[in-house]
């Protein structure tokens, strides 16, 4: 569903579940946010930033899995292990077993089927190396129309649920990238990437991933992904170094709440439910989880590069 959709869809569901189970909610909510980013390079469709970084050079599904399959598994596993250690006290709390189960209503089943259809469409478009935007939009409009007709409701009412402020934020981030391009700021990133190519490949890739990962938290991963993608294309970088840029863009946002749109949406969802996770609360977990996962993931990427020489 992509990391953004995961944060929006699953956070309220997880919060409802933990409230019924009467357990401390933070470990489960942090899992929703951090794993959404840690797993965001399993597939090309797992993060919009993937499309931004590779743009017209997006690898087909098979080569993608060869390059990012092992790093993704290591990213998810290490993020889980860090959270398991950080929240060990909260996770030892008793879970309420006597919970009334409610069957999923017909509209809920319809939406679930619609989500499954969207996943199939996205995977098919990705496998055939087709544009993902238009098919996704059409499926979303179809699902909305069917649900609205069945419920006999006005679909325009859904406009009230759209976070217009978030859309303005994203638009502002893209404007910022255009402004940086217009003043020639990309020349600095191109020079830096050229310098990195002169290092030993594993060292250069590891350094690049950490610099990009930390940079996400200063400007957000969407504009950074745009800048990184433009730089990668301008310098004609391929193989391990290009993969390290993408891993840094996807995994770096686990450091702080400002790192990705998915985390910002997660935070908005929590505040709607009267839960306040502050910047420092997230940073205390992210400062442990992000570097460990990034190091493990890059280790997997370097290993795959040595085994298959996909340069």
């Amino acid at each position: 569903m992509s990391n953004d959709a995961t944060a929006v869809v699953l956070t309220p569901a997880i919060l409802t579940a933990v409230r019924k189970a009467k357990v401390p909610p933070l470990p489960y909510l942090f899992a929703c946010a951090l794993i959404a980013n840690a797993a965001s390079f399993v597939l090309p469709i797992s993060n919009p930033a993937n499309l931004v970084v590779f743009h017209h050079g997006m690898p087909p599904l098979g080569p993608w899995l060869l390059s990012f399959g092992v790093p993704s598994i290591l990213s998810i596993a290490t993020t889980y292990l860090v959270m398991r250690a950080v929240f060990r006290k909260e996770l030892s709390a008793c879970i309420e077993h006597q919970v009334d189960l409610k069957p999923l209503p017909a509209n809920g089943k319809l939406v679930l089927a619609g989500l499954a259809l969207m996943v199939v469409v996205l995977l098919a478009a990705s496998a055939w190396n087709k544009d993902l935007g238009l098919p996704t939009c059409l499926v979303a409009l179809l699902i909305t129309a069917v649900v609205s007709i069945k419920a006999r409701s006005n679909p325009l009412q859904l406009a009230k649920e759209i976070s217009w402020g978030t859309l303005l934020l994203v638009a502002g981030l893209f404007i910022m990238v255009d402004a940086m391009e217009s003043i020639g700021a990309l020349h600095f990133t191109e020079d830096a990437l050229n310098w990195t190519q002169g290092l030993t490949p594993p060292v250069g890739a590891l350094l690049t991933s950490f610099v990009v990962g930390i940079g996400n938290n200063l400007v957000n991963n969407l504009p950074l992904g745009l800048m990184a993608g433009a730089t990668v294309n301008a310098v004609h970088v391929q193989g391990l170094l290009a993969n390290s840029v993408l891993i840094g863009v996807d995994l770096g946002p686990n450091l702080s709440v400002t790192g990705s749109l998915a985390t910002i949406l997660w935070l908005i969802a929590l505040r709607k439910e009267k839960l306040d996770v502050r910047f420092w609360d997230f940073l205390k977990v992210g400062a442990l989880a992000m570097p460990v996962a990034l190091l493990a993931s890059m280790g997997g990427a370097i290993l795959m590069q040595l085994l298959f020489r996909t340069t």
Side-chain angles (χ1 to χ4, degrees), residues 7 10-16 18-19 24-36 83 87 266 269-270 273 275-277 282:
L10 293 187
T11 298
I14 289 172
L15 184 57
T16 300
V18 296
R19 281 175 172 170
L26 285 185
Y28 307 95
L29 295 173
F30 266 91
C32 184
L34 267 65
I35 295 298
M83 287 192 294
F87 293 112
W266 171 81
L270 292 188
E273 298 293 336
L275 277 176
D276 187 21
V277 176
F282 196 99

